[in-house]
């Protein structure tokens, strides 16, 4: 299949800039997927928009939208060479059923495959690299040709996607269009029924999110739909989606070990460690020690970059009380896990001062302390202790899940002592 | 007695399996001893001189015969046939194997018991008056509040890594039998002007290497605000207690160094923030918990009067037991019985598996199935009909627990000492045994009257020597053991810390020195009604010092 050669249309970018991504996101009803796609295809990115589809379990819905708006919109399918036979059949089924006339398969570079995956088992030894050569690399030259992309991502799919908007601006000034962002699992299923869309042959067998055959497993009832992807591995995204929101610039590779555990996964940490001699007026993405902040308050408040605050044992968080909102993250240091002062600091932050941004534990953070830390308001952990990392990845923190006493903001669960069972 | 509901049971089961996992990780080497230590300590597991030691909580000292039988079973199955009752109303087993600990904890959970927070730098088992719910002088039963404190403090997320351990004691009676002024926090029932019952809060007491008498930080905290007030104290301590030196890390040092007024200001400021919040204790909840501690169904008893003088003539041992081991009960026709774990020449606080089974039987038959552990390392049958006293006595004789020496010179508190403990500098049990033999003669003990000897094998003062009328402290000197003697300590509402009387004694000279002190007291007392401590307070240390060391 020949690739369409389309020149980028700079005007589209200017238009978007003028409109503003926020305004764009406010224009559509949450469920108006067709409206979102039509606006993108005909107004904002006319002639400069393409679709990437996995032809997986839920792909039919997005492709049905495409067919309604413009059946000639280019649709790219990553033919990794590792797909289920059923998926390849499904590509043909949908093309025919929906009348799509511009579907292209993207194959990995055969030199790369020969070099990095001569035995075809890279998925097993280094899944990040496998995704990289089979998905990220082949897609890159194509993405460069378009000003925007349509994806089928949905908020409900994973915790990482919980805040997905209809339109996103990527770090390289492209636009991601997510018409289905607000669709729930039930909405997707209902849509399929309402429009009589053919089902992926594996869906009925328990596959909810379908990728390459070796890295996809069946999802249990009640599990995160993407839990079946890279099961057992510390991996949630294949890399092609990592470029969005501008936060994470590089696709994840096996060589990068992330130490920041947040919202159920190890993720790249935008913050760097404060170093002696750093200038509080100009640093970016660093946790400024409380003492430095207090001595340079005006400079820090005038600093235009994202900043955090570092609290060490003995610091009085009260001293920064009025300025907490300035900080995107507060790091509480545990030089030794036996020093429990940070638990009190975190509760004060979360409960008394209403600090709602990131509270991270850094230092000697071990698995047996993390459940207590969470209850005290910590929502991020920088973890280097290897057994603790494993425990987090395997979700087996040693925790007594019943609480006798209230702590934290959200913690009045059923089963607490009767006198603590109260509405707030 | 408190009964677990499903929540309590699930909580303990959760904790048991959590610790089983930690033990597994320790055995597999995934956890280093350094990492395992704070975890095992929070589950009552110590590494002693020879083996692991498991300390099991007896909440506020109250237990049922079923629970006592479980201790007997554990002693028999996993230990060497005995257990050791401690000054914190707990029981310790000295020879369990690490691999058996999870099973032991499961066994305990089956009778609503656990070892949670019996050690480690957290809030320890809350202790209470051992005559709670029975004593004639009681204003209010302290156990419902103690139980609420147990729940509030169990696996508290903020207070599990305190600067140091933290002990709370509660008494509902004006006569303090729970040593509340020697605890990190002591609560004493109090009545305000409106006639409501609340709590005096004492803070910063303790023994150890720096004995301190607690200070009154608040003279009346109503039930409603008690948890919020205590959480305020805990938060101030967690944030500002010293962590640079473990010997200066207890709250008593913080209160001492900063001054009561400073600490009080910080606590009040914190209390002002949390007061009226989620920790507010509704009266219904106090009532709900109190219902668990409803008195047993006492039966109207025929007016039974035992002629102790007559009994003393026909059966002197029984007479002595009646004289010393019976405490007056608030219900007419009933009494509380102290079961001495201080047989002459025995190790204070020890009981064999057989004795534990026997006393469980006695409690079931004669005492509404209830038992208590005292901080003086004895057991108590809190509710016994006076008409049954003879039968109870006979049953105790049969199992070797009928020593009528409660409160007398042979009723000593004694720590395990160098025979068991990794911290000790000197032996203490053999010293207690020798003193006990020296004063074995019952008549002589009765003549001496109330006298509390307390022995510690090191300055950590587990044997409470600071508050012994006569205290004995074992120290190491030039490779040998030496014993310092203190006089004038008192753990009750008349709290005082004993003073060292002079140079220490070799082990074999200790019993003789004690005899000299006792003889001096007898010679100088105004009458047989003037106790040792009263005489000491009147006379001062001079006559005792002179008797021990001669004229300077």
């Amino acid at each position: 299949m020949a690739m369409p050669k389309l020149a980028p249309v700079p005007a589209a970018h200017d238009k978007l800039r003028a409109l503003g991504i926020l305004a764009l996101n406010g224009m559509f009803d949450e469920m108006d997927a067709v409206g979102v796609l039509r606006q993108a295809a005909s107004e904002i990115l006319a002639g400069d928009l393409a679709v990437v589809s996995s032809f997986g379990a839920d792909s039919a819905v997005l492709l049905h939208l495409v067919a309604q708006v413009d059946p000639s919109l280019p649709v790219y399918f990553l033919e990794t060479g590792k797909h289920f036979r059923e998926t390849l059949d499904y590509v043909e089924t949908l093309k025919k059923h929906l009348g799509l006339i511009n579907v292209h398969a993207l194959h990995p570079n055969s030199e790369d495959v020969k070099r990095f995956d001569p035995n075809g088992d890279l998925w097993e030894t280094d899944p990040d690299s496998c995704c990289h050569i089979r998905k990220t690399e082949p897609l890159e030259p194509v993405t460069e040709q378009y000003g925007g992309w349509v994806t089928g991502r949905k908020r409900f799919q994973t915790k990482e996607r919980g805040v997905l908007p209809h339109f996103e601006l990527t770090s390289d000034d492209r636009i991601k269009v997510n018409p289905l962002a607000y669709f729930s699992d039930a909405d997707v299923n209902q849509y399929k029924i309402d429009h009589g869309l053919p089902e992926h042959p594996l869906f009925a067998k328990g596959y909810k999110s379908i990728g390459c055959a070796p890295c996809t497993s069946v999802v249990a009832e009640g599990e995160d739909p993407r839990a079946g992807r890279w099961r057992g591995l510390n991996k949630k995204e294949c890399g092609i989606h990592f470029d969005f929101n501008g936060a994470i610039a590089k696709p994840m590779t096996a060589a990068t070990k992330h130490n920041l555990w947040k919202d159920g996964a190890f993720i790249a940490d935008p913050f760097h460690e404060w170093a002696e001699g750093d200038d509080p007026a100009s640093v970016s993405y660093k946790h400024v020690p409380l003492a430095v902040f207090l001595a340079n308050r005006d400079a820090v408040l005038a600093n235009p970059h994202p900043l955090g605050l570092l609290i060490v044992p003995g610091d009085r968080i009260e001293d920064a009380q009025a300025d907490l909102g300035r900080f995107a993250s507060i790091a509480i240091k545990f030089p030794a896990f036996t020093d429990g002062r940070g638990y009190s600091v975190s509760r004060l932050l979360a409960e008394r001062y209403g600090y709602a941004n990131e509270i991270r534990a850094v230092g000697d953070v071990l698995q047996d302390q993390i459940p207590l830390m969470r209850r005290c308001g910590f929502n991020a952990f920088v973890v280097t202790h290897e057994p603790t990392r494993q425990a987090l990845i395997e979700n087996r923190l040693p925790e007594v899940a019943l609480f006798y006493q209230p702590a934290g903001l959200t913690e009045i669960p059923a089963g607490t002592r009767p006198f603590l069972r109260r509405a707030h | 007695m408190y009964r677990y509901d499903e929540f309590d049971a699930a909580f303990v089961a959760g904790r048991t399996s959590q610790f089983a996992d930690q033990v597994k990780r320790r055995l597999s080497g995934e956890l280093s001893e350094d990492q395992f230590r704070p975890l095992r300590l929070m589950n009552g597991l110590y590494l002693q001189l020879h083996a692991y030691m498991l300390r099991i909580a007896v909440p506020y000292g109250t237990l049922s015969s079923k629970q006592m039988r479980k201790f007997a079973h554990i002693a028999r199955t996993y230990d060497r046939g005995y257990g050791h009752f401690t000054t914190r109303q707990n029981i310790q087993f000295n020879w369990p194997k690490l691999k058996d600990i999870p099973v032991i904890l499961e066994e305990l959970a089956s009778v609503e018991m656990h070892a949670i927070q019996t050690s480690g730098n957290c809030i320890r088992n809350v202790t209470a008056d051992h005559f709670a719910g029975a004593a004639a002088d009681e204003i209010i039963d302290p156990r419902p509040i103690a139980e609420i404190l147990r729940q509030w403090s169990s696996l508290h997320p903020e207070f599990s890594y305190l600067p140091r351990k933290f002990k709370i004691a509660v008494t509902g009676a004006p006569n303090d039998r729970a040593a509340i002024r020697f605890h990190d926090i002591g609560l004493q029932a109090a009545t305000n002007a409106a006639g409501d019952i609340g709590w005096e809060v004492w803070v910063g007491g303790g023994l150890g290497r720096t004995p301190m008498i607690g200070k009154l930080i608040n003279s009346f905290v109503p039930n409603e605000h008690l948890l919020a007030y205590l959480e305020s104290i805990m938060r101030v301590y967690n944030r500002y207690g010293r962590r640079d030196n473990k010997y200066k890390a207890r709250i008593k040092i913080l209160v001492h160094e900063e001054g009561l007024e400073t600490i009080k200001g910080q606590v009040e400021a914190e209390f002002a923030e949390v007061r009226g919040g989620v920790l507010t204790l509704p009266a219904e909840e106090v009532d709900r918990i109190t219902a668990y501690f409803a008195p047993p169904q006492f039966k109207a008893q025929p007016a039974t009067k035992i002629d102790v003088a007559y009994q003393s003539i026909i059966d002197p041992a029984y007479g002595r037991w009646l004289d010393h081991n019976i405490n007056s009960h608030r219900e007419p026709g009933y009494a509380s019985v102290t079961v001495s774990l201080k047989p002459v020449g025995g190790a204070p606080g020890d009981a064999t598996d057989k004795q534990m089974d026997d006393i469980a039987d006695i409690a079931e038959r004669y005492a509404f199935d209830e038992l208590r552990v005292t901080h003086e390392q004895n057991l108590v049958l809190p509710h016994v009909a006076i008409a049954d006293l003879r039968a109870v006595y006979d049953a105790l004789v049969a199992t070797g627990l009928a020593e009528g020496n409660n409160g007398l010179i042979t009723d000593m508190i004694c720590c395990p000492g160098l025979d068991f403990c990794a911290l000790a500098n000197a032996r203490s049990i053999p010293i207690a045994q020798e003193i006990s033999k020296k004063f074995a003669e019952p008549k002589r003990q009765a003549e001496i009257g109330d006298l509390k000897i307390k022995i510690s094998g090191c300055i950590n003062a587990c044997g409470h020597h600071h508050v012994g009328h006569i205290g004995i402290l074992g120290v190491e000197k030039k490779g040998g053991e030496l014993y310092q003697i203190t006089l004038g300590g008192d753990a009750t509402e008349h709290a005082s810390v004993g003073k060292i009387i002079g140079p220490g004694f070799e082990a074999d000279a200790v019993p003789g020195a004690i005899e000299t002190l006792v003889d001096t007291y007898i010679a100088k007392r105004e009458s047989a009604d003037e106790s040792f401590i009263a005489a000491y307070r009147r006379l001062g240390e001079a006559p005792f010092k002179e008797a021990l060391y001669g004229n300077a």
Side-chain angles (χ1 to χ4, degrees):
Chain A
M1 278 183 272
M3 279 188 200
K5 296 259 189 276
L6 292 170
V9 185
H13 288 167
D14 297 337
K15 210 167 180 178
L16 176 87
R17 288 252 176 260
L19 202 57
I21 202 105
L22 279 175
L24 200 54
N25 277 318
M27 277 172 63
F28 299 91
D29 182 85
E30 290 185 355
M31 300 306 291
D32 184 12
V34 180
V36 168
L37 186 59
R38 182 166 289 133
Q39 179 76 10
S42 60
E43 295 284 326
I44 313 161
L45 294 158
D48 194 17
L49 184 70
V51 183
V52 188
S53 178
S54 65
F55 287 82
D58 292 338
S59 300
V61 175
L62 182 70
L63 295 172
H64 183 254
L65 296 174
V66 169
Q68 287 175 73
V69 171
D70 177 5
S72 68
L73 209 61
V75 175
Y76 292 92
F77 168 60
L78 288 160
E79 211 321 23
T80 59
K82 294 284 179 187
H83 280 295
F84 291 102
R85 180 69 244 164
E86 288 86 342
T87 301
L88 302 180
D89 291 345
Y90 192 51
V91 173
E92 296 309 313
T93 309
L94 282 185
K95 270 163 73 176
K96 226 173 276 164
H97 183 89
L98 299 172
L100 299 173
I101 55 169
N102 206 358
V103 178
H104 307 274
L106 297 176
H107 297 269
N109 181 312
S110 55
E111 289 302 312
D112 282 351
V113 173
K114 232 184 275 169
R115 188 171 154 211
F116 296 112
D117 192 11
N119 305 321
D121 60 0
L122 190 60
W123 61 271
E124 196 170 26
T125 54
D126 185 355
D128 287 326
S129 296
C130 188
C131 282
H132 190 76
I133 63 166
R134 294 176 194 281
K135 293 182 173 180
T136 315
E137 288 282 341
L139 194 58
E140 211 167 64
V142 183
T143 55
E144 282 167 5
Q145 300 174 35
Y146 294 93
W149 287 86
V150 183
T151 84
R153 291 182 297 160
K154 299 157 206 79
R155 292 183 161 216
F156 80 86
Q157 281 172 323
T158 65
K159 290 175 195 157
E160 289 76 9
R161 293 178 173 181
V163 293
L164 195 68
H166 279 143
F167 296 93
E168 296 170 275
L169 191 62
T170 72
S171 57
D172 59 353
D173 276 344
R174 286 176 212 282
I175 298 166
K176 274 263 173 175
V177 184
N178 309 305
L180 302 177
Y182 294 87
F183 272 50
S184 69
D185 200 7
D187 294 332
V188 169
N189 289 330
Q190 193 56 47
Y191 191 103
K192 284 194 255 184
I193 294 165
D194 290 350
H195 297 88
L197 300 180
E199 203 70 87
H200 192 293
L202 293 177
F203 184 74
K205 296 180 182 168
Y207 293 84
K208 291 259 175 89
S209 176
I210 302 167
C212 298
C215 294
T216 301
S217 63
V218 174
V219 176
E221 195 63 41
E223 242 185 338
D224 183 321
R226 281 176 73 87
R229 302 287 290 276
W230 304 284
R231 188 182 286 281
L233 296 175
N234 170 22
K235 187 166 165 65
K236 298 284 179 204
E237 296 282 8
C238 59
I240 63 173
H241 292 310
F242 255 94
D243 200 13
F244 304 104
N245 299 323
I248 301 161
K250 289 273 182 293
M252 198 161 89
T253 65
T256 321
K257 187 165 128 182
H258 300 313
N259 291 330
L260 179 63
W261 175 265
K262 197 175 178 185
D263 297 332
F266 279 102
I267 58 169
D269 187 352
F271 279 88
H272 306 285
E273 202 164 332
W274 174 268
E276 200 66 33
D278 275 346
D279 176 11
S282 63
V283 290
S284 174
Y285 282 107
K286 294 210 170 185
H287 290 95
V288 182
L290 178 68
V292 174
F293 168 63
L294 294 175
N296 302 276
R297 182 169 174 273
D298 291 343
V300 173
L301 294 181
N303 180 328
H305 304 296
L307 288 179
L309 184 65
L310 176 67
I311 304 293
V312 298
D315 279 353
R316 284 173 41 87
I317 189 67
E318 288 88 338
D319 296 341
Q321 188 184 333
D323 301 314
L324 294 174
R326 165 67 185 87
F327 300 102
S329 166
I330 294 182
I332 298 175
K333 177 100 178 169
F334 289 83
F337 70 88
T338 48
D339 190 329
R341 282 176 275 192
Y343 295 90
S344 289
V345 175
S346 182
R347 285 193 70 186
L348 291 176
L349 279 173
E351 296 172 41
R352 186 161 305 162
Y353 303 138
Y355 181 77
N357 294 337
E358 178 183 278
I359 304 177
R360 59 163 70 181
V362 299
D364 200 6
V365 178
L366 303 175
Q367 66 201 81
D368 297 286
Q369 284 77 44
I370 289 174
L372 301 179
M373 290 174 171
R374 276 184 172 155
R375 293 186 59 200
C376 287
F378 286 96
N379 51 26
F381 307 88
V382 175
V383 185
T384 51
H385 180 243
E386 202 47 48
T388 299
R389 295 176 61 86
Q390 278 309 313
L392 281 166
I393 291 165
E394 292 161 26
N395 193 25
R396 50 166 181 81
L397 283 182
E399 181 172 21
V400 177
L402 298 173
F403 314 137
Y404 273 117
Q405 61 295 97
L409 290 172
T410 56
E411 196 182 274
I412 319 256
T416 44
R417 303 310 299 164
F419 85 95
L420 299 172
R421 223 183 266 153
R422 57 183 65 199
H424 264 262
Chain B
M1 267 182 67
Y2 187 69
R3 305 289 309 171
Y4 277 15
D5 59 20
E6 281 178 15
F7 181 90
D8 299 298
F11 177 86
V12 171
R15 177 58 160 195
T16 303
S17 62
Q18 179 190 35
F19 189 54
D21 171 64
Q22 289 161 349
V23 168
K24 199 173 88 191
R25 284 189 277 138
R26 174 69 191 117
L27 290 171
S28 76
E30 184 186 313
L31 286 177
S32 70
E33 171 54 23
D34 269 358
Q35 288 161 345
F36 184 55
R37 186 188 305 116
L39 305 177
R40 66 170 165 76
L41 287 179
M42 263 180 260
N43 289 283
L45 190 62
Y46 278 79
L47 195 50
Q48 289 286 60
L49 213 49
H50 311 292
Y52 279 104
M53 180 271 277
L54 181 65
R55 183 184 291 154
I56 297 157
V58 180
Y60 30 91
T62 297
L63 73 166
S64 68
S65 41
K66 187 175 165 191
Q67 291 169 327
M68 183 63 96
R69 284 197 191 96
K70 185 57 83 176
F71 289 162
H73 168 75
I74 290 169
R76 206 161 32 236
T77 315
Y78 304 103
D79 207 283
R80 297 189 178 175
Y82 70 97
H84 177 77
F85 290 95
T86 78
T87 58
R88 296 215 74 254
Q89 301 181 310
N90 295 322
I91 186 170
Q92 292 175 184
F93 290 104
N94 283 300
W95 308 96
K97 295 190 177 57
L98 182 57
K99 68 172 179 56
D100 288 337
I101 299 296
V103 187
I104 296 175
L105 293 179
E106 272 176 39
E107 296 248 22
L108 287 168
S110 74
V111 294
E112 307 184 356
M113 302 211 95
H114 59 70
I116 299 168
Q117 292 177 202
T118 54
S119 53
N121 293 337
C122 50
I123 301 172
R124 302 288 188 87
N125 183 30
V126 176
T127 54
D129 183 355
H130 45 264
F131 291 130
D137 64 346
E138 191 167 271
I139 299 168
I140 190 173
D141 187 340
R143 291 173 301 162
I145 280 297
E147 168 60 23
I148 288 168
L149 294 182
R150 178 190 77 81
Q151 296 185 11
W152 159 76
S153 63
S154 288
L155 307 193
H156 197 295
E158 185 179 350
F159 306 131
S160 288
Y161 294 91
L162 295 169
R164 200 75 179 81
K165 58 189 169 184
F166 203 93
K167 299 172 180 177
I168 301 176
V170 196
T171 181
N175 295 302
D176 178 8
R177 289 172 289 261
I180 66 143
R181 283 165 188 77
F182 291 98
H183 281 75
D184 296 283
I185 288 178
L187 300 176
Q188 177 139 24
T191 312
N192 70 1
D196 302 324
I197 294 175
W199 302 94
E200 279 178 5
V201 181
W202 297 72
V203 70
L207 297 171
R209 59 184 70 207
T210 319
M212 299 265 184
I213 297 172
K215 296 164 184 71
L216 186 65
I217 189 168
N218 196 316
S219 56
F220 189 85
V221 178
N223 276 342
E224 179 186 14
H225 297 311
L226 187 63
L227 293 180
Y229 194 80
L230 296 191
E231 187 144 306
S232 302
I233 295 177
M234 297 309 303
R235 184 166 289 158
V236 167
Y237 172 56
N238 189 41
R239 297 186 72 194
Y240 303 119
R242 287 182 61 173
R243 290 173 188 262
D244 58 327
N245 179 341
K246 72 180 265 197
Y247 301 119
K248 299 191 172 181
R250 296 287 289 271
I251 195 173
K252 64 189 173 188
I253 303 293
L254 180 67
V255 174
H256 178 72
E257 288 182 350
E258 300 291 322
L260 178 65
E261 287 313 309
T262 304
I263 298 303
K264 189 171 177 170
Q266 291 171 342
V267 170
E268 291 294 336
E270 188 59 42
F271 182 50
E273 295 276 356
V274 298
R275 182 193 164 108
V278 71
L279 285 172
T280 305
L281 186 55
E284 313 86 73
E285 174 66 5
V286 180
D287 292 346
R288 188 182 74 83
I289 300 287
T290 303
Y292 285 110
F293 298 94
Q297 298 291 311
F298 293 119
K299 292 183 209 85
Q301 294 289 334
T304 315
K305 200 157 164 41
I306 300 178
D307 186 342
V308 177
Y310 171 73
Q311 294 294 341
S312 298
I313 294 164
I314 61 163
D315 186 348
Y318 179 49
R320 282 194 299 278
W321 185 80
L322 288 172
D323 239 354
H324 301 295
N325 290 31
I326 305 302
N327 203 70
S328 52
H329 201 285
R330 66 186 196 197
E331 185 74 15
Y334 283 86
S336 298
V337 171
T338 299
V339 179
S340 172
L341 296 180
K342 316 290 176 60
V344 169
D350 278 6
T352 65
D353 59 326
K354 171 79 166 57
Q355 287 174 325
M356 289 190 259
D357 272 338
D358 289 344
I359 191 129
D361 291 345
I362 296 169
E364 194 170 49
R365 182 154 175 208
Y366 298 109
F368 298 95
D369 208 25
E370 226 186 290
L371 282 159
R372 305 288 170 79
V373 182
T374 82
H375 86 272
E376 294 183 316
Q377 300 182 282
N378 291 316
L379 299 175
V380 162
L381 298 160
H383 317 294
V384 177
I386 290 173
D388 289 334
L389 285 177
R390 179 75 215 195
V392 167
Y393 174 75
D394 289 340
L396 289 173
V397 169
T399 193
L401 292 174
E403 198 71 35
N405 63 351
N406 181 41
L408 301 182
I409 189 168
T410 56
D411 182 9
M412 285 170 274
I413 291 184
C414 177
C415 76
L418 197 54
D419 296 302
F420 294 95
C421 179
L423 302 173
N425 300 118
R427 292 165 301 150
S428 41
I429 291 172
I431 300 293
Q433 288 167 328
E434 288 309 311
I435 295 170
S436 175
K437 284 182 203 156
K438 184 127 208 147
F439 292 95
E441 222 294 290
K443 252 197 198 139
R444 184 145 185 234
Q445 288 188 48
E447 187 199 359
I448 298 165
D450 280 355
L451 174 54
K452 293 186 190 301
I453 296 183
K454 303 183 194 245
I455 308 171
S456 304
C458 78
I459 50 173
N460 293 308
C462 297
H464 296 187
H465 66 275
H466 296 300
V467 291
H469 301 158
I470 299 175
I472 300 172
L473 167 64
V475 293
E476 190 192 323
K477 202 143 200 182
K478 291 174 192 138
E481 295 165 3
L482 208 62
Y483 295 85
Q484 287 178 348
I485 293 177
T486 58
L487 292 182
D490 184 351
T492 71
E493 64 278 13
H494 310 295
S496 58
V497 172
K499 279 179 62 184
I500 296 176
I501 182 94
F505 294 86
E506 300 283 339
D508 53 9
V510 173
I514 302 302
E515 187 162 45
T516 303
L517 292 170
V518 167
D519 289 345
T520 305
Y521 152 65
I522 300 229
K524 304 258 178 188
R525 70 184 178 187
E526 285 181 329
S527 75
D529 290 337
E530 189 183 42
S531 68
F532 180 92
I533 184 71
Y536 172 81
R537 283 178 176 151
R538 178 175 58 81
L539 294 164
E541 65 172 12
F544 297 97
K545 198 166 187 168
E546 193 185 316
L548 276 184
Y549 302 105
N551 255 325

